[in-house]
Amino acid sequence: MSFTSKVKTELADRISNAKHCRVAEIAALISMCGNVLIDEDDNYKVCVQTDTEVTAKKFRELLWKTFHIDTDVEEKDNQLSHSKKSYLVNIKNSEDALLVLNETRIMNKQNEIEEQMNVSKNEIIKKDCCKRAYLRGAFLASGSISDPEKSYHFEIKCTNENKANQIVDILKTFDVDAKTINRKNKFVVYLKDSEKVVDALNIMEAPVALLEVETIKVDKEMNNMVNRQMNCDLANTNKTVGAAQRVIEDIKYIDNEVGLSYLSEKMQQIAKIRVENPEASLQEIGDLMNPPLGKSGVNHRLRKISEIANKLREEESPK
């Protein structure tokens, strides 16, 4: 099951106890994936078509709980895809259709089909709880969300720019800034930041999906931190090993050219320990000294040995 399907299944199971919220969600579903049909006798019919079965069943349940309108979910082959199905819910009775259109304010007082796109003036979404319900319905109708294991991307496709702007304005009332893009004759509202995706799930009241995104996000951050630490440790190890190898080469050069007796007793001791323990750290080298020596002391003596080796090289070089 895709992550979008998980989220839609969770949202479909949420039925608000408040009628005004159910009306807002019905309004969003009709607006985003519905059609109003009027025949020559002025009989009205409302049809909602979706490629998600849980969305169709949610719309049917909302109609029953809110208006006691009994409908069926019809399954049809999707003409655009042989592998997908379409699910239709029809309000065939004209009186029932008019009731729903009036209650959702999709029909104005002059009995004309006209949606109020201004968020502040739309009576259906005056309350925050109704805005949440409307966004929930819009996502069920035409939303998608990427697998958080791969990326963070939330979007709702709208049939026109006014509807897209309305979704943007609703999100903005919850301090979530969304972007829009025109894609294949659709106006897409989208969020790409992980925090904004989490906020959108919170607004729609999808706590299970929200927790999954947050958990994956924390796991990713932990893995990134561990990887950074491992890379840092590896770089430090390589640096330490490289430095140790250069000092060993300097010691061998001195031994071959003039012998280790050229060095003071203290330097001879540390030179032998360094060669015998090529992978030891400065602290470990210091602990092997007699008497023990601190890291800074070990570093100082090894640096002096390298300086002596470089001086011998300079003297040997032709002038």
Side-chain angles (χ1 to χ4, degrees), residues 14-39:
R14 179 174 181 77
I15 304 291
S16 177
N17 292 324
K19 179 181 177 181
H20 49 81
C21 290
R22 296 197 300 269
V23 169
E25 194 163 351
I26 291 170
L29 285 161
I30 295 174
S31 176
M32 304 300 287
C33 65
N35 282 303
V36 179
L37 306 174
I38 308 170
D39 66 18

Side-chain angles (χ1 to χ4, degrees), residues 227-252:
N227 288 336
R228 284 195 298 270
Q229 186 62 50
M230 288 178 63
N231 291 336
C232 183
D233 290 345
L234 181 60
N236 288 335
T237 298
N238 291 338
K239 183 178 178 181
T240 299
V241 170
Q245 190 58 42
R246 286 192 296 274
V247 171
I248 290 171
E249 289 173 0
D250 289 338
I251 293 169
K252 289 180 178 179

Side-chain angles (χ1 to χ4, degrees), residues 59-60 82 84 115 124 145 172 177 209 232 250 260 310:
F59 183 64
R60 180 181 184 274
H82 295 296
K84 290 185 178 181
E115 292 185 68
I124 296 299
I145 184 169
K172 196 173 291 183
D177 290 324
C232 183
D250 289 338
L260 292 183
N310 289 332

Side-chain angles (χ1 to χ4, degrees), residues 150-165:
K150 299 175 182 177
S151 64
Y152 301 106
H153 186 87
F154 170 101
E155 68 177 40
I156 296 175
K157 294 186 181 73
C158 304
T159 55
N160 61 59
E161 190 172 9
N162 287 334
K163 290 182 181 181
N165 290 337

Side-chain angles (χ1 to χ4, degrees), residues 134-198:
Y134 192 93
L135 191 65
R136 194 158 56 236
F139 184 84
L140 278 167
S142 59
S144 65
I145 184 169
S146 63
D147 183 347
E149 291 277 10
K150 299 175 182 177
S151 64
Y152 301 106
H153 186 87
F154 170 101
E155 68 177 40
I156 296 175
K157 294 186 181 73
C158 304
T159 55
N160 61 59
E161 190 172 9
N162 287 334
K163 290 182 181 181
N165 290 337
Q166 183 183 45
I167 298 298
V168 169
D169 289 342
I170 290 173
L171 286 167
K172 196 173 291 183
T173 63
F174 294 98
D175 296 323
V176 178
D177 290 324
K179 305 291 185 182
T180 61
I181 187 173
N182 192 336
R183 186 199 303 154
K184 295 180 180 178
N185 298 321
K186 295 279 187 179
F187 290 84
V188 181
V189 178
Y190 69 93
L191 304 167
K192 297 195 77 169
D193 179 80
S194 61
E195 293 295 334
K196 291 180 180 179
V197 170
V198 166

Side-chain angles (χ1 to χ4, degrees), residues 103-160:
E103 288 288 326
T104 56
R105 300 297 191 273
I106 293 174
M107 177 178 280
N108 63 25
K109 294 178 181 179
Q110 288 74 42
N111 290 336
E112 297 170 335
I113 303 301
E114 181 186 43
E115 292 185 68
Q116 174 54 260
M117 295 300 174
N118 188 311
V119 172
S120 62
K121 295 180 180 178
N122 192 334
E123 296 179 17
I124 296 299
I125 48 176
K126 283 285 187 182
K127 299 181 179 180
D128 282 350
C129 57
C130 294
K131 291 184 179 72
R132 292 177 185 274
Y134 192 93
L135 191 65
R136 194 158 56 236
F139 184 84
L140 278 167
S142 59
S144 65
I145 184 169
S146 63
D147 183 347
E149 291 277 10
K150 299 175 182 177
S151 64
Y152 301 106
H153 186 87
F154 170 101
E155 68 177 40
I156 296 175
K157 294 186 181 73
C158 304
T159 55
N160 61 59

Side-chain angles (χ1 to χ4, degrees), residues 277-309:
N277 301 274
E279 296 182 0
S281 66
L282 295 180
Q283 182 63 58
E284 290 167 338
I285 294 292
D287 292 341
L288 292 170
M289 295 284 291
N290 185 22
L293 187 65
K295 283 173 60 177
S296 61
V298 171
N299 188 51
H300 174 72
R301 291 186 187 180
L302 291 176
R303 193 165 60 245
K304 289 294 291 183
I305 289 173
S306 292
E307 289 175 359
I308 291 170

